Amino acid sequence: MSERIEGTVLKRKGSTLQVAIPGGVLECGLSGKLRHDRQLAIAPAVVGDRVEVTQGEGGTGVIEKVLPRKSRLSRPDTQDPKRESVIVANADLLLIIQAVAAPEFDAHIVDRSLVMARIGGLEAAIVVNKWDLSNPPEIERTVEVYGALGYRTLKTSARTGEGLPALRDLLAGRTTVLFGPSGVGKSSLLNAVDPAIHLKVGELSEKTQEGKHTTTWAELMPLPGGGHVIDTPGIEVFGLWGIEVEDLVECFPEFVERIGTCRFNDCYHDAEPGCRIRDAVGSGIDPGRYQSYLKILRGLRKGRR
């Protein structure tokens, strides 16, 4: 029996997965057991997974086992929403990227992404790019709100270089998933961090234009200062996976200290009388954040029906 070697999944390539092992990269398929497990999981092994492989001939191998994950970025499967589709495993940081303008800054997407990070066990940070275009007071205030909640926030401009040293420091030594809509400047930021990564992303993006809203590619790419980055093209926002309605309130740090103080123990902090969280909106809780909470809450409740 061949000895098993531990490695890391770098990317999917057709029906095979590229796995980095000490001394090289193997083109791997799944073992019979994992192929059978596909009935339960959309993809038994994904980018970022630590796996055990047996090495074959000519740079090939077989993935025998997927090791326990420390984090995951998941969504409901597009074909069967009751099944989990894991996109990335074992990342450290979800870097939520928005732009000051073109496209317009969307605080609700930021809030939803922060919930996704909390569910999946990832740290979260926020980048507001294109800061050279303008810095309207409402966005300045929104950035301050997130900073006061303990989230790392960066103001960047790929054109002027503002914030780029801080971005490089943030990325160094960890595995980071980039998350944001088209047009916010992810490619420009990647180019500023490492031109080799930008070129690779551009080449792959050209190959994935069709069906970009329902499919995605992801690849673990090394950074010159240590660490890795994973882009998620074709995914701007998606359904939440792995959260119950009752647990949503814990994903909003400013709500947590008020949990259990409402008149009713089963308060959803929506329209119930005596809700201490709703009472604090505008005086301790940002109104925009509260509206994001309600929008997510009502979506989760609708999904239960």
Side-chain angles (χ1 to χ4, degrees):
M1 184 177 179
S2 300
E3 179 183 358
R4 292 188 180 186
I5 307 167
E6 284 195 19
T8 302
V9 177
L10 298 179
K11 69 175 179 178
R12 177 174 292 279
K13 188 178 180 183
S15 61
T16 64
L17 295 161
Q18 288 191 350
V19 178
I21 62 170
V25 176
L26 300 179
E27 300 282 341
C28 295
L30 299 172
S31 68
K33 182 178 185 301
L34 286 180
R35 286 199 301 272
H36 174 73
D37 286 348
R38 186 172 288 214
Q39 297 174 15
L40 302 176
I42 302 301
V46 300
V47 171
D49 266 325
R50 292 289 297 168
V51 295
E52 292 181 358
V53 302
T54 53
Q55 188 168 359
E57 297 180 354
T60 64
V62 175
I63 297 175
E64 305 286 354
K65 182 179 180 181
V66 179
L67 299 177
R69 293 163 173 159
K70 69 177 184 180
S71 69
R72 62 215 289 157
L73 184 63
S74 298
R75 65 176 176 181
D77 178 52
T78 55
Q79 302 300 317
D80 182 358
K82 294 183 179 180
R83 299 177 70 192
E84 178 184 14
S85 177
V86 183
I87 299 164
V88 174
N90 299 321
D92 302 303
L93 177 70
L94 184 68
L95 192 64
I96 303 160
I97 304 175
Q98 286 281 319
V100 172
E104 184 178 351
F105 185 93
D106 191 328
H108 176 68
I109 297 300
V110 174
D111 294 331
R112 191 178 181 90
S113 302
L114 291 171
V115 172
M116 287 166 38
R118 171 67 182 266
I119 297 168
L122 289 82
E123 182 185 347
I126 302 161
V127 167
V128 185
N129 194 32
K130 303 186 182 180
W131 202 255
D132 56 298
L133 295 182
S134 66
N135 49 357
E138 62 271 18
I139 295 183
E140 285 272 18
R141 191 186 69 81
T142 299
V143 170
E144 291 173 2
V145 168
Y146 291 120
L149 293 173
Y151 296 112
R152 179 79 180 271
T153 58
L154 299 179
K155 304 169 185 176
T156 62
S157 168
R159 188 178 69 83
T160 67
E162 180 179 357
L164 294 183
L167 178 60
R168 292 189 185 97
D169 289 343
L170 181 63
L171 297 176
R174 65 175 84 197
T175 298
T176 302
V177 181
L178 304 185
F179 196 78
S182 300
V184 295
K186 286 189 296 179
S187 293
S188 297
L189 290 174
L190 279 174
N191 189 40
V193 172
D194 181 9
I197 289 180
H198 169 71
L199 291 174
K200 198 169 202 177
V201 169
E203 176 186 354
L204 290 170
S205 184
E206 285 296 318
K207 298 176 182 178
T208 57
Q209 288 302 304
E210 293 185 10
K212 65 180 180 179
H213 296 296
T214 56
T215 60
T216 183
W217 58 266
E219 180 175 356
L220 194 68
M221 296 175 282
L223 292 167
H228 295 80
V229 66
I230 305 170
D231 194 9
T232 55
I235 299 181
E236 300 187 358
V237 67
F238 49 76
L240 298 174
W241 175 269
I243 184 169
E244 297 295 332
V245 173
E246 296 80 4
D247 298 329
L248 177 62
V249 66
E250 297 182 2
C251 297
F252 286 73
E254 65 272 47
F255 293 9
V256 172
E257 66 183 34
R258 299 175 174 88
I259 295 175
T261 64
C262 298
R263 181 185 303 176
F264 300 107
N265 291 332
D266 60 351
C267 184
Y268 285 107
H269 322 295
D270 186 350
E272 301 89 343
C275 175
R276 298 293 175 254
I277 286 176
R278 193 174 67 251
D279 289 346
V281 174
S283 59
I285 292 177
D286 177 73
R289 288 272 293 167
Y290 179 67
Q291 289 303 314
S292 283
Y293 166 80
L294 291 181
K295 190 172 181 179
I296 297 170
L297 174 72
R298 290 165 185 171
L300 291 174
R301 283 172 142 179
K302 185 177 179 181
R304 271 189 169 185
R305 297 172 188 167

